[in-house]
Amino acid sequence: MSLTVLTSAHRLSSLCRLQRIRGHMMSSQAQPEVLLEKVGRAGVITINRPKVLNALNLTMIRQIYPQLKKWENDKETELMIIKGAGGKAFCAGGDIRAVTEAGKVGDSLAEDFFREEYILNNAIGACRKPYIALIDGITMGGGVGLSVHGRFRVATEKTLFAMPETAIGLFPDVGGGYFLPRLRGKLGLFLALTGFRLKGRDVQRAGVATHFVESKKIPDLEKELVDLKSPSAEDVSKVLESYQNQSGLDSEKPFVLEKHMSDIDRLFSSGSVEGIVQNLKADGSEFANKQAETLSKMSPTSLKITFKQLQEGATLSLPEVLVMEYRLSQACMRGCDFYEGVRAVLVDKDQSPQWNPSTLEEVSDQTMEQCFSSLGEKDLTF
């Protein structure tokens, strides 16, 4: 069999697979994937794919965005609430498996998904009305983008937060370059590079959530919020604070990273990822060794992109960060680590990605420059 025939056959099978996945990504199943309801004077968005931990796809983005804009301009709607169905996850991330399948065969989904997701992230950040994300469960990647830029983010003991993208050859996108460098000290950089997971009350202590409320109180909280008459942001804040004050669970436990904060600030203060790795190895403590080991498993290209992304993002506005991140998303689609990371972690699940280049030293400044370069007329615009 000739190579051409093999390539054509492979391309055909990739296309068939993509059509299936596109169908899944753009699906209109019997059960709506997003519920958009008006309850009292509140617009309520429910992410409704519990079987896949409420993973976000393009169809859902295309439903949420226009509704958000409509409610923002509707005099009868005074606040917005977003939550996840099923009790396990708020939203465990974007449906990136479909995005990589699209990227392999040059399908436009690889551009459309990131572009429209980032436009939605920006709309949440710019929303003029109180926007309350009830992040009661797993909240990662794309789920962070649906919540963290809103005015209010309510964590519960079931919340599990992470930006684990460096492990799959991506970077903490959806505005990670904006909110992560604004967390205290070097905490954001630490979370971005290592993908460290925060749970429950620690999500609020880190500054990712604004409030902590026990999971069993969330239905009552939601009812009280939708019953508010002409609420200002301050009115919403008072309700959230009153529920937080009734939630004593884990309040006596210190922040999980408290005893490591001075180490994080010291070890992650360097002008490069190589410098951070050097600091960690030289330190030799159990904590430092663990972080060095974690970083050694991540995509070297992703680590370098993420370091520069947060460095730049520290002084940019959210829209400017999202323009930068869209350029980076397309650089990842042009590269190979994102495909390899998704294969190793999500498809074959062998957890043994073969990164290329395989060391930090081999990732050139020129490569970095290309990743951050303008896409000209293909740049993200709002």
Side-chain angles (χ1 to χ4, degrees):
M1 204 184 224
S2 75
L3 189 61
T4 318
V5 174
L6 274 171
T7 309
S8 303
H10 176 70
R11 193 174 160 77
L12 192 64
S13 77
S14 283
L15 275 166
C16 293
R17 191 162 67 243
L18 176 67
Q19 276 161 352
R20 280 203 310 277
I21 288 185
R22 258 199 99 98
H24 168 63
M25 191 79 174
M26 309 286 297
S27 58
S28 54
Q29 281 141 0
Q31 192 68 3
E33 297 180 320
V34 182
L35 306 175
L36 302 161
E37 303 162 288
K38 191 73 192 300
V39 185
R41 298 181 74 82
V44 181
I45 303 162
T46 307
I47 311 162
N48 191 37
R49 296 180 75 202
K51 285 186 180 142
V52 288
L53 300 176
N54 295 326
L56 183 69
N57 63 31
L58 190 55
T59 310
M60 296 156 78
I61 293 165
R62 288 178 173 172
Q63 289 172 310
I64 296 168
Y65 177 73
Q67 189 63 64
L68 185 72
K69 298 305 280 183
K70 197 171 158 188
W71 280 335
E72 191 178 10
N73 295 312
D74 171 32
K75 289 188 176 70
E76 303 298 305
T77 307
E78 290 177 336
L79 73 156
M80 284 159 242
I81 295 171
I82 186 164
K83 60 181 180 173
K88 252 189 169 177
F90 167 69
C91 168
D95 207 336
I96 50 170
R97 198 168 156 178
V99 177
T100 54
E101 289 296 339
K104 283 177 196 169
V105 292
D107 186 274
S108 69
L109 180 66
E111 294 176 6
D112 300 342
F113 178 76
F114 290 108
R115 184 188 298 112
E116 295 181 43
E117 182 182 30
Y118 296 177
I119 288 170
L120 173 58
N121 299 151
N122 186 58
I124 291 167
C127 188
R128 297 186 308 274
K129 290 178 178 173
Y131 180 97
I132 305 131
L134 303 175
I135 55 171
D136 182 25
I138 301 164
T139 306
M140 295 185 187
V144 176
L146 292 177
S147 53
V148 78
H149 306 297
R151 178 75 185 265
F152 303 103
R153 291 94 63 190
V154 182
T156 75
E157 71 276 12
K158 285 160 53 178
T159 306
L160 175 63
F161 161 91
M163 295 298 278
E165 288 81 2
T166 56
I168 54 162
L170 198 58
F171 59 95
D173 65 337
V174 296
Y178 181 78
F179 83 87
L180 288 163
R182 285 163 176 80
L183 301 179
R184 61 178 156 140
K186 292 287 174 184
L187 178 59
L189 182 61
F190 168 77
L191 295 172
L193 295 176
T194 64
F196 187 89
R197 296 177 167 206
L198 292 169
K199 294 172 187 162
R201 205 178 269 273
D202 287 338
V203 179
Q204 185 210 7
R205 289 178 171 140
V208 174
T210 55
H211 295 80
F212 174 85
V213 174
E214 287 165 20
S215 186
K216 63 182 182 198
K217 294 183 165 60
I218 292 288
D220 289 345
L221 167 62
E222 195 184 330
K223 188 178 184 318
E224 201 159 320
L225 288 170
V226 302
D227 287 345
L228 285 172
K229 302 281 179 281
S230 310
S232 63
E234 285 66 38
D235 296 333
V236 172
S237 206
K238 277 178 192 155
V239 172
L240 294 176
E241 275 164 33
S242 78
Y243 274 81
Q244 178 168 272
N245 293 338
Q246 300 161 40
S247 299
L249 190 70
D250 294 336
S251 58
E252 74 300 334
K253 283 187 187 168
F255 176 45
V256 68
L257 291 169
E258 200 57 63
K259 62 179 180 288
H260 301 300
M261 275 314 296
S262 59
D263 291 334
I264 288 170
D265 290 347
R266 178 173 53 85
L267 298 166
F268 283 75
S269 289
S270 175
S272 67
V273 184
E274 291 94 326
I276 291 171
V277 171
Q278 226 170 345
N279 289 348
L280 292 167
K281 286 180 175 167
D283 184 76
S285 66
E286 190 189 347
F287 176 76
N289 288 343
K290 198 172 177 186
Q291 306 323 313
E293 191 191 341
T294 298
L295 294 183
S296 73
K297 293 175 180 163
M298 304 305 188
S299 155
T301 304
S302 289
L303 291 174
K304 284 204 166 179
I305 285 175
T306 301
F307 183 85
K308 189 169 158 69
Q309 171 205 2
L310 267 63
Q311 207 174 29
E312 302 274 320
T315 57
L316 300 175
S317 65
L318 177 59
E320 288 168 336
V321 163
L322 291 165
V323 169
M324 168 180 72
E325 290 183 356
Y326 183 70
R327 291 170 182 170
L328 296 175
S329 76
Q330 297 311 295
C332 289
M333 296 311 303
R334 292 193 303 269
C336 53
D337 276 5
F338 184 33
Y339 301 97
E340 175 59 8
V342 169
R343 181 207 65 74
V345 177
L346 301 176
V347 182
D348 298 340
K349 300 188 172 141
D350 57 31
Q351 313 300 328
S352 303
Q354 303 299 304
W355 304 125
N356 182 15
S358 61
T359 65
L360 289 164
E361 291 69 25
E362 289 172 280
V363 183
S364 68
D365 293 344
Q366 190 189 355
T367 300
M368 279 302 99
E369 218 166 285
Q370 285 166 349
C371 291
F372 283 81
S373 296
S374 167
L375 299 169
E377 58 188 31
K378 284 198 155 185
D379 259 341
L380 176 64
T381 51
F382 299 106

